Amino acid sequence: MTQSHPRISKAVIPAAGLGTRFLPATKATPKEMLPVVDKPAIQYVVEEAVSAGLGDVLMVTGRNKRPLEDHFDRNYELESALQKKGDAGRLAKVQESSDLAMIHYVRQGDPKGLGHAVLCAAPHVGNEPFAVLLGDDLIDPRDPLLQRMIDVQEQYGGSVVALMEVAPEQIHLYGCAAVEATEDGDVVKVAGLIEKPDPADAPSNYAIIGRYVLDPHIFGILRRTEPGRGGEIQLTDALQQLAEDEKVGGPVHGVVFKGRRYDTGDRGDYLRAIVRLACEREDLGPDFRTWLRSYVAEEM
C-alpha cells in the first residue's frame, strides 16, 4: 500500500575527488569538468537532478574545484561578446548552465570518503529525504532512473539505492547488495551491503551504481561510522546499518537499472561515452558515424 512521505526536493553531488585516474589532465582541471562531447560531465548530472524535479542542488567540493562554480555562474564578459556578435545559439548554451538550478557549495575539508562527503551536506539538507548523484555515473536521460527511485522512496519510505547486474568477476569494483524480491519487478529489498567484496564473498552480482535516495537518519549513522575499506568512511557501511535495523530510518530498497549508463570515471568508458553520445547527436552524428565506420574498416 502506498504510504505518504515527504517530497524530495534536494540533490547532493559529491565532487571533491582528485581524479587521479585521469592525470595529468586533472592536475589543474577538475575531473568533473572534463568534456563529454561539448559539455562537462558535471552538467549532465545536474540536468538529471533537475529533470527529476530537484532544483535545489548542493555540490560537495574540495580544493582546486573553483571551475565548477565558475561554470554554473554567469560569465558577463563572454555573454556580452556573444551578444555583440549576434551569436544567439552559443549565447543560449552559455546561459543554460547558469540557469539550470539553485546551486550551493560546501567544502569537504578532509578527503575522508563518500560517507564523509554526504555528511557534509547535513546542514543544508536538514531533516528531509534527499538524492545523491555521483558525478562519475552518467545516466542517459531517456532512461529516467532517478525519478523511478524517488517514486519508490515515496512508496516505501526509507532509502533507495540504484543497482545494476554486473559480471561476477567485476563485482569487486563496486558495493554489492544482498537482495530479496518484491511485488515490483524492478524493485528489490536490500537485506545487506558490502563494499567491494572479493567475488567469492559477494552475496550477489547486484552492484551499487552512483544514485541514492536517502533518509536523513543516514546522517546520524554516518557520524558514528568508523573508517572502513581504504581507511575512508563508507556510505555503504552506513546503509548496511539501515538495512539491518528498519526501526532507524526505514527499509532500504534497490531499483534494478537496465538502461544506458556511462562510467566517466574510467578512461575507457569515458571514451566510449563520448563516441556513443556523439553518434546520437543530430548535429554531429551523421558525419561522425560515417568517419567512424571508415576508421574501423581500415583498422580491421
Side-chain angles (χ1 to χ4, degrees):
M1 183 172 63
T2 300
Q3 303 176 39
S4 177
H5 302 283
R7 175 66 188 176
I8 297 169
S9 63
K10 296 177 180 177
V12 175
I13 302 177
L18 297 175
T20 53
R21 284 182 287 181
F22 281 83
L23 286 170
T26 50
K27 179 180 178 181
T29 301
K31 67 174 182 176
E32 296 85 4
M33 290 300 297
L34 295 179
V36 180
V37 188
D38 55 4
K39 190 163 58 177
I42 192 68
Q43 185 169 332
Y44 289 90
V45 179
V46 174
E47 288 173 349
E48 180 186 351
V50 171
S51 68
L54 311 183
D56 185 333
V57 176
L58 176 70
M59 289 193 190
V60 183
T61 66
R63 293 186 62 191
N64 301 323
K65 299 288 184 170
R66 181 61 185 270
L68 291 173
E69 299 184 34
D70 290 341
H71 179 72
F72 291 101
D73 198 0
R74 299 292 298 272
N75 187 326
Y76 293 102
E77 295 84 357
L78 178 58
E79 291 178 28
S80 177
L82 292 172
Q83 284 177 332
K84 289 178 181 179
K85 289 182 179 180
D87 195 339
R90 287 190 174 89
L91 177 61
K93 289 182 178 180
V94 168
Q95 293 176 331
E96 181 183 13
S97 60
S98 57
D99 295 336
L100 266 176
M102 181 65 70
I103 301 181
H104 313 267
Y105 303 89
V106 64
R107 285 282 189 100
Q108 182 186 14
D110 297 314
K112 296 180 180 179
L114 176 58
H116 181 259
V118 171
L119 185 56
C120 291
H124 181 80
V125 169
N127 193 33
E128 303 175 22
F130 62 104
V132 174
L133 298 84
L134 303 191
D136 286 346
D137 278 328
L138 303 190
I139 304 298
D140 195 294
R142 293 167 293 184
D143 302 312
L145 169 62
L146 185 58
Q147 183 60 64
R148 176 59 176 152
M149 294 175 68
I150 291 171
D151 292 342
V152 170
Q153 196 280 336
E154 290 180 343
Q155 179 179 359
Y156 292 103
S159 298
V160 182
V161 299
L163 302 175
M164 177 175 276
E165 290 189 79
V166 301
E169 61 269 19
Q170 293 183 320
I171 197 64
H172 71 282
L173 301 172
Y174 300 87
C176 177
V179 302
E180 303 169 357
T182 71
E183 296 179 354
D184 296 309
D186 65 333
V187 179
V188 293
K189 186 173 182 182
V190 176
L193 300 118
I194 183 171
E195 180 67 17
K196 297 181 178 178
D198 291 330
D201 299 327
S204 74
N205 65 330
Y206 283 106
I208 305 170
I209 59 175
R211 297 295 180 270
Y212 307 81
V213 177
L214 301 177
D215 184 276
H217 283 90
I218 196 76
F219 293 130
I221 293 175
L222 284 169
R223 291 186 184 100
R224 301 188 299 271
T225 299
E226 296 293 327
R229 192 178 184 92
E232 297 181 337
I233 298 174
Q234 298 290 348
L235 180 60
T236 303
D237 293 343
L239 285 166
Q240 165 66 18
Q241 295 186 49
L242 287 179
E244 288 178 345
D245 186 2
E246 294 185 16
K247 296 178 181 178
V248 180
V252 178
H253 286 84
V255 171
V256 180
F257 182 63
K258 297 182 179 180
R260 288 156 285 201
R261 165 184 174 257
Y262 313 107
D263 181 2
T264 59
D266 174 83
R267 289 175 298 175
D269 282 346
Y270 171 74
L271 293 174
R272 284 185 279 272
I274 292 174
V275 171
R276 290 181 63 177
L277 292 173
C279 284
E280 295 174 358
R281 287 268 294 263
E282 292 183 3
D283 58 338
L284 298 173
D287 288 342
F288 185 68
R289 289 194 299 270
T290 299
W291 173 83
L292 188 60
R293 291 190 191 98
S294 175
Y295 174 75
V296 172
E298 291 175 3
E299 290 298 305
M300 293 180 65

